[in-house]
Structures are given as C-alpha cells and as structure tokens.
Amino acid sequence: MAVPIAVLDCDLLLYGRGHRTLDRFKLEDVTDEYLISTYGFPRQFICYLVDLLGATLSRPTQRSRAISPETQILAALGFYTSGSFQTRMGDAIGISQASMSRCVANVTEALVERASQFIHFPKDEATVQTLKDDFYGLAGMPGVLGVVDCTHVAIKAPNAEDLSYVNRKGLHSLNCLMVCDSRGVLLSAETHWPGSLPDCTVLEQAALTSQFETDLHKDGWLLGDSSFLLRTWLMTPLHIPETPAEYRYNMAHSATHNVIERTFRTMRSRFRCLDGSKGTLQYSPEKSSHIILACCVLHNISLQHGLDVWSAPATGHMEQSEEEYEQMESVDSEACRVRQELLLTHFS
C-alpha cells in the first residue's frame, strides 16, 4: 500500500500559515553599506528589481506565496554574489536554506524570461554608429559591432557517462559564448554549450552566427581571437604579422578585444557563484545555464545603473577559454579580402 507523502514548506512550519509574506527583513532598516556587503548591490538597485520582477514573483503558487518578492530577490542576490547557500544568509532575511534554494530558482527564471529585454544588439542606425564610434575610440579599429569570446563556468558532473561537459582540463563546465560592447555591456550571451566543445565549434553552431549571416552583417564585424575562424563579419588577428600595417592591425585588435576579458573579470568579481571559489554550480547543465544567463542580465542592469566594477580585483576560477589550438586561417577568400582591405584602408 502506497503511503502518501506530504510536501511541507519549511517556512510555513517555522512561522505558520498566518504569514502570507515574510517581512521580518526590511530594506529601510539597514544601510546601503550593509546591503552591498551582504547582497552585492545598493538599495536603489534592489528596489528596481522588486519593481521589475515583483509581479512574476508574486504568482500565488503553493511554494512561493509565503515569501515576498523583496525577500526572494535578496536571497537570490545573496547566492549570486556569494556563491553559497550559507545559513547566515537565510537567517539574515528570515528564511530556511531550502526556501533560499527555491527563491534562487524563482528569481533566476524571472530574469531569464527578460533576457532578450536586456541583452541584444542595437537595431537603429544611430545607435549602431555610436557603437562603432565608441569602439573606434579605444584603439582605432573601425567598423566594430562587438567583441566575442568564450568562457568556461564549472558545473557538477551531470552523470558518470556524460563526457560532453568535460573540458580540456578534465573539469565539467559550460562553455559560454558572449559578445559585449566597448563598455562591457553584453550584446549576446549563449550559456548552454557543453564544455567539451571548442570555441570555434560553439560559434559555428551558435545562434549568433545565423544572426550575423542573415541580419546584422551590414558594414561592420565582430572581433574574435585566434580560436575562431576569420569570416566576413568576424575579424581575427594575423598569425604572423610581417608588415608595419599588420602589426598595427594586430595591436589595435588586441587592445579592442581586451574589453571582453575585462568583462569576464567583472562578472566573476561581482557574481562569485560563477568563479568557482565556492565550488562548482551544483545544478543540472540546464539550470546552471539559466543561473549564468540570469547573472548576465543582472550585469547589464547594473551597468545601466552606473554600477561599474571594472576596477575590482580579479578573483576565482571563471576562466577565459585557454584552448590548445592550431592557428586557424579561413579558407574564405571573401573574408581574407575584407581583412586585407581593412589593413590597406586603415592601417597602412
């Protein structure tokens, strides 16, 4: 005879069903310094997230009804920025560790639902031209619409048989393909690729490639390092520069591409759940991918609010991809012609 199992909410057991919302923690009762040190963000930013996500997080489900949107957001921010479900974090806002885990799941999905709102390439011509001008101001590289690279985020092993997530260092990871502008704002983020895939394969299969080959390839290009193939819309450095113009091109390319390396450092500094210092993400690849994407959304929102941490020290192990690859030169004659014309026009 089967025995029915009751699924109990830990907070309802602790605080009773009379508590429709858990408001033991009040934002107005603490200082900005405390909020930043504990949750990584100031009051104004947290209030913005409450306004943005409040309706979604207030859905009357059996599990989340007792916990206010404000508390759910604080719990999630605490995890994203510390990388752990510490008991003291739950104690600070008055919820159990199990409820913290549910809060992280709720907030993560709410942010993922809004990813396209905050992560996208500009569409109008004036904004696209501003994008190019800002990149040109960095090191004199013309026509740049974004810089692209991959970074690995460590996850727990899905199962013993699945080797698709084992990267070249023997660790399980997701290989995340990202594009940013000159300020580090993410324009594209694909966070679901298995760690065993090399960067060039990720790009080959990515939605980003079909985007540029169908929509965005208009008088401009991305910059990528030598782990990618040269394309008409993706300029890579020259393997062995020989002329002064080629040296100048490579130097401008490197200085401009460095923006995304700084962006990766920013993200691992702000979101410690990604940097490996507290261990790997203890979720399935799909849920881990959503957590990474949620952090990408928060990264862009934080830049919109003027919260720039490029000056923060680099920490942890969210590593830019360090693939062992042979230098790849494209057999695409048109791509070679475009790069050669760029050399002659702007660097000779």
Side-chain angles (χ1 to χ4, degrees):
M1 176 179 175
V3 179
I5 300 174
V7 179
L8 301 177
D9 188 302
C10 299
D11 296 307
L12 292 179
L13 283 174
L14 289 171
Y15 306 109
R17 291 189 177 274
H19 290 263
R20 287 179 57 84
T21 59
L22 298 178
D23 293 325
R24 293 175 298 283
F25 183 95
K26 297 285 188 180
L27 277 178
E28 59 268 24
D29 293 339
V30 296
T31 65
D32 254 13
E33 289 74 15
Y34 173 80
L35 291 172
I36 293 170
S37 65
T38 308
Y39 305 103
F41 293 95
R43 187 187 329 275
Q44 183 180 7
F45 182 89
I46 295 170
C47 290
Y48 173 83
L49 291 182
V50 172
D51 290 340
L52 178 70
L53 307 178
T56 301
L57 297 176
S58 296
R59 291 170 183 166
T61 63
Q62 182 178 356
R63 289 192 168 192
S64 64
R65 187 175 187 176
I67 305 178
S68 68
E70 179 181 282
T71 301
Q72 291 184 63
I73 288 167
L74 288 172
L77 291 178
F79 169 70
Y80 298 146
T81 58
S82 73
S84 66
F85 290 118
Q86 297 179 16
T87 303
R88 67 173 181 82
M89 188 73 70
D91 289 344
I93 53 179
I95 63 174
S96 66
Q97 190 167 333
S99 292
M100 275 200 64
S101 181
R102 289 196 298 275
C103 291
V104 170
N106 291 343
V107 174
T108 295
E109 292 312 306
L111 288 168
V112 167
E113 287 176 6
R114 290 160 177 78
S116 61
Q117 177 182 345
F118 294 98
I119 304 174
H120 56 80
F121 283 91
K123 297 292 187 182
D124 63 283
E125 291 185 9
T127 308
V128 170
Q129 187 58 51
T130 298
L131 185 66
K132 293 180 184 179
D133 292 343
D134 289 344
F135 271 119
Y136 187 80
L138 293 179
M141 179 70 77
V144 180
L145 299 171
V147 289
V148 59
D149 210 343
C150 288
T151 189
H152 285 260
V153 177
I155 63 171
K156 74 172 182 178
N159 58 63
E161 291 75 30
D162 190 350
L163 300 179
S164 64
Y165 292 92
V166 179
N167 61 33
R168 56 173 287 267
K169 295 185 176 181
L171 304 174
H172 290 82
S173 68
L174 291 168
N175 195 4
C176 305
L177 180 73
M178 301 188 192
V179 180
C180 73
D181 70 10
S182 62
R183 294 176 49 239
V185 175
L186 295 174
L187 306 175
S188 177
E190 299 186 33
T191 60
H192 62 283
W193 297 102
S196 66
L197 293 181
D199 294 0
C200 60
T201 303
V202 169
L203 181 62
E204 186 177 315
Q205 299 178 9
L208 179 68
T209 292
S210 59
Q211 268 188 299
F212 265 79
E213 291 184 344
T214 56
D215 298 331
L216 296 173
H217 181 205
K218 298 176 181 177
D219 301 321
W221 38 72
L222 301 178
L223 296 188
D225 65 20
S226 297
S227 62
F228 301 114
L229 282 170
L230 177 71
R231 301 169 184 256
T232 54
W233 50 267
L234 177 65
M235 294 292 102
T236 60
L238 290 139
H239 179 33
I240 304 176
E242 296 177 347
T243 68
E246 290 175 345
Y247 276 104
R248 284 192 287 269
Y249 166 84
N250 271 13
M251 290 178 65
H253 187 292
S254 176
T256 307
H257 189 265
N258 183 56
V259 171
I260 198 160
E261 298 168 15
R262 296 172 67 192
T263 300
F264 290 155
R265 289 197 296 271
T266 293
M267 293 184 66
R268 73 164 178 249
S269 175
R270 174 166 275 156
F271 304 110
R272 301 298 295 276
C273 69
L274 306 181
D275 75 1
S277 64
K278 301 292 185 180
T280 62
L281 285 174
Q282 296 297 302
Y283 297 91
S284 68
E286 180 182 7
K287 289 184 178 179
S288 295
S289 170
H290 285 186
I291 287 172
I292 300 165
L293 185 55
C295 290
C296 291
V297 173
L298 289 173
H299 168 79
N300 275 10
I301 296 175
S302 68
L303 289 179
Q304 287 181 7
H305 282 73
L307 304 177
D308 187 350
V309 295
W310 272 9
S311 58
T315 58
H317 307 286
M318 180 186 173
E319 298 177 355
Q320 185 182 0
S321 200
E322 295 180 1
E323 309 234 357
E324 289 181 350
Y325 52 80
E326 294 183 7
Q327 183 76 24
M328 296 185 296
E329 283 294 342
S330 176
V331 295
D332 184 341
S333 59
E334 178 63 14
C336 292
R337 185 197 65 78
V338 169
R339 185 170 65 180
Q340 189 61 30
E341 183 177 331
L342 175 61
L343 280 161
L344 294 173
T345 305
H346 294 278
F347 296 97
S348 294

